[in-house]
Every structure is written in C-alpha cells, then in structure tokens.
Amino acid sequence: MTARDPIVDLRRIAFLLEKANEATYRVRAFRSAANALAALPAGEVTERARTGKLTELAGVGDVTARCVVESLAGEEPVYLRRLVATEGTDLDAAAAALRDALRGDCHTHSDWSDGGSPIEEMALAAVELGHEYLVLTDHSPRLKVARGLTAERLRKQLDHVAAVNDALPKGFRILTGIEVDILADGSLDQDEELLARLDVVVGSVHSGLNDDRAKMTRRMLTAVANPHLDILGHCTGRMVSSRPAGVTGPGDRGHRARTRAESDFDADAVFAACAEHGVAVEINSRPERQDPPKRLIRRALEAGCRFAINTDAHAPGQLDWQRFGCQRAALCGVPANRVVNTWKADRLVRWARTRR
C-alpha cells in the first residue's frame, strides 16, 4: 500500500480533538509529535519507524508512534479512524443553512498573542474547513496577560500576513484585524493610524466588567460611535462554563477556568447605537461564552443590527466551533442576510472601509 503522510495524519487527529473539545494534553501530544517529525530530514521518519526508534524523539510517545507506523504502512491510523467515525454534531436545517452560508471567521487568534498556533497553521485549517477568508484579530497592548500587540508588533504582523498570503492557496486570504480593548472611557486601545489600516476591527471589553450599568453603557456607546470599530465582541463578557479543553496556547490566558456573570448595561441603547452606526454584534461561538445570550440576540435582531458569527478561536480545531453560534442564531431567527461573514471578503472589507 502507498504510504500516507504521518505528519498530516497527526495534525488531523489534533484538529479533530480540538474540534471535539477534548482534553488539552491529548491535543498537545499529537501536535508535538507532528512538529517533532516535521523537523527531521527526509527519510529519517521512515528509518526510525523501521528500527523502532520513534519514541526516542522528544514529543513522540507510544500512541503517536503507533499512528506513525500505521500511516507509513498506508493505513489510516486507528486513532484517526475512530475520531472520524464519531465526528460531528447534527445541525437542524436552519442552523445548517446558516453555517453553509458563512464564508469566513472575523475573530481569531494566533501565537502572536494568546493563541496556541502560528498564523499559517490557523489559515490552513480555515482553508480545510472551506472558508474563503480568516480575519486575524490578536489582542491589543493593554491586555498584557494575553501578550497584546504593541503598535510596533502589529506593524510587523501586517508585514508577516502579507508574506503568508502570497503563499496560501488561491481563493483564500487572511484579512488583517485586531481584537482591540474597549478602555474605561470607551476609547480603543491602539493607534488610530493603525486601526485605519486594518481590514476589520473587533472591539471587546476585557476589564472593569463589574462596572455599574450607567458607566458600562457610556463606555460601550462611546466605542460603538467610533468609526474604527466594526464588530462589538462578546458584549456581555459572561462565562457560562469553565475553560474549554483542547487549548494549546501559552495558558490561553484569556480563557482561564471560571464562570462569570454578564456585565450590566442598557442593551436596548447599545444595540440601537450599533444599528445606527452600522456596527455588527458578534455572536461568539465559544462553548464557555455563548455570548450574547439568546434573549439579547433577539433584542439586537429587533433593533435592526447586523451580526458576525465568530469562533474567537485560539487553536485550529476551534475554527469549527461556528456551528455552535449558528445553532443559537438560528434559534433566534437570525437570517443569513444580516450576518456580515456570509459576505465575500471584498464586500466585507468595503463595508469596514466605508465605516471609516
């Protein structure tokens, strides 16, 4: 039988484990093994498999070595076969139609801030899912716990993204962006000149989440009125469950294990401002966020808001979590024509540029 690529198989296993929200150590085991093999000269993987020396490599254990041997023998590794056989959650027709209409993801993170994987790996996972684009939105400088990007680092990232785009498959592109902190006075945590250069800007509150209702409302209204803000991220800041498994970043510092109540603000006023200024309301698909709750999605819909169904992914397998957001959006009657990431990339970028 023709040998398979064991590195591809190991990375596929890691992706499916992340997608299924499995334990972090399992994801890390397969991704570490893939990285260890990728660093070897051509032919050495085969030779080590033949002589039984795969487990002498740092990052390769008995289970991952067995997968490599099966892959080199031309067999789909048993571990991968079992994952594929149990993959997926059925969506009802409305949620499935909404998921099929999505062309990209407007909120994702890489290892430049608190994500666990390089930009290239996130992009290739998005390609595999059938996306046409991925908006890279690493954190802004005030969020030091998440290694937020200073202006200097963001400029370097823009150059890096341009180089990566040149090497990606035709028909797919990374769009530049940021998840910018909404500061206490409602201003955005990055230089205006840089915000103006970005394709899409997501703004989120990450601090002072227990501010009183009036203060939080003023803060959010100020941010929504800023012409650089395109999408209001996870607007209540709530956490409904503990940190998800499968996160492989440096502690995934933005998602530590905890639950958290919703921030208190005048939702009707904020959603009316979003509709007035053309700011989309994010439906955050992370299982531990489910933000906004369904009652607020319905109020935003009634206010005339647009939406963005995003994953807030910090690892490649999490890019498939959009199905969770689509389920909640469909339950609330959100139509595809009100979701900005059903648009092609050029239309999305034009919409954001027009807002500037």
Side-chain angles (χ1 to χ4, degrees):
M1 297 178 67
T2 304
R4 296 165 61 94
D5 186 334
I7 297 172
V8 171
D9 282 344
L10 290 171
R11 286 179 173 156
R12 179 64 179 166
I13 290 170
F15 176 89
L16 291 174
L17 288 170
E18 281 174 341
K19 175 180 173 180
N21 206 12
E22 290 286 349
T24 302
Y25 74 89
R26 291 197 180 112
V27 179
R28 186 177 293 118
F30 287 95
R31 187 154 285 135
S32 296
N35 291 338
L37 299 188
L40 296 178
E44 187 172 339
V45 175
T46 302
E47 180 61 19
R48 282 181 174 271
R50 186 185 67 80
T51 57
K53 294 182 178 180
L54 284 169
T55 55
E56 294 178 3
L57 292 169
V60 179
D62 291 337
V63 174
T64 51
R66 189 179 311 122
C67 291
V68 172
V69 170
E70 292 167 345
S71 185
L72 289 172
E75 303 170 7
E76 183 178 42
V78 172
Y79 202 110
L80 176 57
R81 188 161 65 246
R82 288 172 179 164
L83 283 174
V84 171
T86 57
E87 178 186 7
T89 302
D90 290 337
L91 298 177
D92 63 31
L98 188 52
R99 174 64 186 86
D100 288 344
L102 296 180
R103 295 176 180 270
D105 194 330
C106 295
H107 185 170
T108 68
H109 297 274
S110 76
D111 59 4
W112 282 62
S113 65
D114 64 340
S117 296
I119 294 169
E120 296 87 339
E121 194 169 334
M122 296 295 289
L124 291 174
V127 171
E128 186 175 344
L129 288 171
H131 287 339
E132 297 174 17
Y133 56 85
L134 178 82
V135 185
L136 179 63
T137 55
D138 281 322
H139 288 286
S140 62
R142 295 283 185 95
L143 203 62
K144 295 185 186 303
V145 70
R147 298 178 62 237
L149 273 61
T150 62
E152 180 182 1
R153 289 184 67 217
L154 180 54
R155 290 188 182 94
K156 290 180 180 177
Q157 187 182 81
L158 296 180
D159 292 338
H160 183 72
V161 167
V164 172
N165 270 333
D166 288 340
L168 288 173
K170 186 177 180 181
F172 179 88
R173 63 200 264 209
I174 302 170
L175 300 181
T176 60
I178 192 169
E179 184 183 13
V180 64
D181 262 31
I182 296 173
L183 302 178
D185 62 357
S187 61
L188 304 183
D189 178 33
Q190 191 49 273
D191 294 352
E192 288 199 1
E193 169 265 327
L194 272 173
L195 293 176
R197 287 179 57 187
L198 300 174
D199 292 322
V200 177
V201 174
V202 177
S204 306
V205 174
H206 289 107
S207 60
L209 291 163
N210 293 322
D211 283 350
D212 65 58
R213 180 181 179 87
K215 183 176 181 180
M216 183 63 78
T217 301
R218 286 194 303 272
R219 181 180 185 181
M220 296 175 76
L221 290 175
T222 300
V224 166
N226 190 312
H228 295 298
L229 182 67
D230 304 311
I231 298 171
L232 179 62
H234 48 71
C235 64
T236 77
R238 76 174 187 171
M239 293 284 189
V240 297
S241 63
S242 63
R243 160 183 166 176
V247 173
T248 56
D252 192 32
R253 298 177 181 89
H255 298 278
R256 288 176 178 150
R258 66 212 189 277
T259 58
R260 185 169 61 214
E262 300 170 24
S263 293
D264 188 16
F265 61 94
D266 185 338
D268 291 331
V270 170
F271 293 150
C274 287
E276 177 187 354
H277 294 287
V279 171
V281 175
E282 177 181 75
I283 297 176
N284 190 291
S285 301
R286 291 190 72 89
E288 81 279 19
R289 283 195 181 276
Q290 301 179 38
D291 195 2
K294 292 192 292 293
R295 74 178 195 283
L296 293 187
I297 295 176
R298 295 188 181 99
R299 284 163 72 176
L301 184 64
E302 292 167 2
C305 294
R306 290 190 173 104
F307 297 90
I309 301 176
N310 297 328
T311 61
D312 193 357
H314 286 64
Q318 296 173 10
L319 289 169
D320 200 41
W321 285 356
Q322 276 182 317
R323 65 190 189 279
F324 301 141
C326 288
Q327 286 172 327
R328 294 171 52 246
L331 286 172
C332 297
V334 175
N337 63 8
R338 293 274 286 274
V339 180
V340 299
N341 46 329
T342 63
W343 300 343
K344 291 186 175 182
D346 287 344
R347 182 181 177 189
L348 181 69
V349 172
R350 282 198 307 272
W351 165 71
R353 295 287 180 211
T354 301
R355 296 200 63 263
R356 304 283 187 268

